Amino acid sequence: MSTSPEGTVRPSTPLASGGPKLSVVVPVYNEEENLADLGKEIREALVSIDYEVILVDDGSTDRSFAEIETLGRLDPRFKAVRLGTNFGQTAAMAAGIDHAAGQVLAFLDSDLQNDPRDIPGMLVKLDEGEGWDVVSGWRKRRQDKWFTRRLPSQIANAIISRTTGVTLHDYGCTLKIYRADFIKNLRLYGEMHRFIPALAGFLGARIVEVPVNHRPRTRGVSKYGLIRIFKVVLDLHTVKFMHQYLTKPNYLFGGGGALMLAAGAFLGGVTLYKKYWLGVFVKDQPLFQISIFFSLIGLQLLLLGLLAEILIRIYYELRGKRNYFVRRTVNFK
Ligand code: UDP
Ligand code: MG
């Protein structure tokens, strides 16, 4: 952490002292035709920057790894992480994050759809004014088909923005830049790389969007079909739950359980009232069964809430995790 002359504290980037300023993390799955040009583009775009490139080979079955090796021999700033098999883009990005030593991380697709020449400007943006924690690429003029790609993506962006409260035009654009401390703590599962900005936002990251260049894919094939929409919706549920209830699951389960128990007790009361005051036999009252049903479910939910509380404590304590995120500590002398 450093303090500028005016006394305002700059965002800290305490990780990996001695490492490069920037780590470019690139997931690669069967992109043999694109890698040589990608390497060239990155080297040309980042000439005046202290950087490394982490190419994560996500179990490619073509010559991608050989191409990565060629890049690494040519320029030792290009490093490879080779996964055992195809774990998916999210896992590949997570592996890249784990191996990155930079104070700032940038993500880039390996199919040349993103343009590395956007990175220097985004780095400038990161330090603009008080400083940002995330600079998020926005493919304002996206070069993909409208009906199968851009329209679903627009709908997804609107839903994700609304649900998470972190409003972005373009969650799907891989080209984004993060301060390392905001991203090193995240755990990414499923197809969750799309939600990284929201997850960082939950930690208090200051996020800004900048329009970036986007190009059509000219070589290789897209790795995704329409099925990804369903995965995104399911992941969104998980993200929402994790954010709202991860540290206090009993508010959800216990709350629901208490409501159901109360409803059960009320309906039980109605049954008894009808029996003793109106003379209706319990066997003639279907409400009685509903009351039992509600009470049982309510009890189950209450117990589930307690179990979830125990689990969540184990989750945090085992991994030495905290239920808060410290941007920086300041010692005022
Ligand atoms: N990718 C990956 N593992 C996968 C699928 C994709 O590492 O299982 C990489 C892929 O090589 C590319 C990036 O993720 O660099 C984005 O994939 P793609 O271009 O197919 O997605 P689209 O641009 O069509 O959304
Ligand atoms: Mg692509």
Side-chain angles (χ1 to χ4, degrees):
M1 185 182 62
S2 63
T3 308
S4 72
E6 304 83 51
T8 51
V9 185
R10 304 287 301 163
S12 66
T13 45
L15 278 167
S17 50
K21 177 176 166 35
L22 174 72
S23 297
V24 184
V25 172
V26 190
V28 179
Y29 181 50
N30 291 348
E31 305 280 4
E32 57 183 3
E33 305 102 314
N34 293 317
L35 290 169
D37 283 349
L38 179 77
K40 189 160 163 279
E41 283 197 355
I42 293 178
R43 281 152 51 89
E44 283 170 9
L46 303 183
V47 266
S48 53
I49 293 170
D50 173 26
Y51 72 95
E52 64 173 357
V53 182
I54 313 282
L55 292 146
V56 186
D57 178 10
D58 184 18
S60 297
T61 50
D62 65 357
R63 292 191 64 262
S64 290
F65 191 73
E67 292 291 328
I68 293 175
E69 261 179 336
T70 311
L71 286 177
R73 283 213 196 88
L74 189 74
D75 184 338
R77 289 174 298 186
F78 285 68
K79 296 161 190 170
V81 175
R82 191 177 194 182
L83 302 187
T85 182
N86 179 228
F87 285 95
Q89 189 179 346
T90 299
M93 287 168 71
I97 294 169
D98 288 344
H99 288 84
Q103 297 157 8
V104 173
L105 268 63
F107 295 100
L108 205 60
D109 276 346
S110 49
D111 58 359
L112 303 174
Q113 289 202 262
N114 296 137
D115 189 342
R117 280 172 299 186
D118 283 313
I119 294 179
M122 293 170 87
L123 287 173
V124 171
K125 187 80 185 173
L126 195 72
D127 285 329
E128 184 191 85
E130 285 267 294
W132 300 95
D133 301 309
V134 180
V135 180
S136 176
W138 168 19
R139 297 162 294 180
K140 212 167 179 176
R141 295 152 63 96
R142 186 168 166 187
Q143 304 294 320
D144 279 318
K145 290 203 186 84
W146 183 78
F147 190 68
T148 52
R149 307 302 299 267
R150 280 170 22 222
L151 178 69
S153 151
Q154 271 173 11
I155 298 171
N157 283 314
I159 297 176
I160 299 172
S161 296
R162 243 193 101 89
T163 316
T164 62
V166 179
T167 306
L168 288 184
H169 287 95
D170 194 355
Y171 268 93
C173 178
T174 304
L175 177 50
K176 298 188 193 300
I177 290 193
Y178 297 84
R179 285 189 197 279
D181 25 356
F182 271 94
I183 199 154
K184 287 271 183 180
N185 286 312
L186 304 180
R187 285 285 171 269
L188 306 172
Y189 302 96
E191 301 267 307
M192 230 156 253
H193 62 272
R194 262 165 246 289
F195 299 106
I196 299 177
L199 298 174
F202 293 161
L203 298 180
R206 291 179 291 233
I207 305 172
V208 65
E209 275 188 299
V210 296
V212 295
N213 190 15
H214 190 245
R215 303 172 291 191
R217 197 190 244 280
T218 51
R219 281 165 280 172
V221 289
S222 170
K223 311 299 182 294
Y224 295 103
L226 277 178
I227 198 90
R228 85 162 115 190
I229 298 173
F230 298 104
K231 295 185 180 166
V232 168
V233 171
L234 289 176
D235 280 343
L236 183 62
H237 260 85
T238 317
V239 167
K240 176 85 175 163
F241 173 79
M242 295 295 221
H243 173 47
Q244 278 194 319
Y245 295 110
L246 191 58
T247 55
K248 41 187 189 299
N250 206 18
Y251 288 3
L252 182 69
F253 296 113
L259 274 179
M260 302 269 312
L261 260 185
F266 174 74
L267 295 179
V270 172
T271 320
L272 289 179
Y273 168 77
K274 282 188 163 177
K275 176 178 162 54
Y276 288 113
W277 272 269
L278 307 177
V280 187
F281 284 117
V282 169
K283 70 175 175 52
D284 295 329
Q285 296 193 51
L287 264 190
F288 187 55
Q289 278 161 15
I290 298 178
S291 151
I292 294 174
F293 178 74
F294 273 23
S295 307
L296 281 180
I297 300 260
L299 204 64
Q300 298 263 18
L301 280 179
L302 276 181
L303 294 177
L304 199 66
L306 291 180
L307 266 184
E309 286 287 334
I310 295 171
L311 281 179
I312 221 58
R313 277 161 182 63
I314 296 174
Y315 171 84
Y316 277 105
E317 314 253 320
L318 268 189
R319 295 171 49 210
K321 276 185 75 122
R322 292 283 170 268
N323 53 352
Y324 54 80
F325 173 77
V326 178
R327 179 186 288 275
R328 58 180 164 258
T329 51
V330 185
N331 226 338
F332 296 105
K333 293 238 173 64

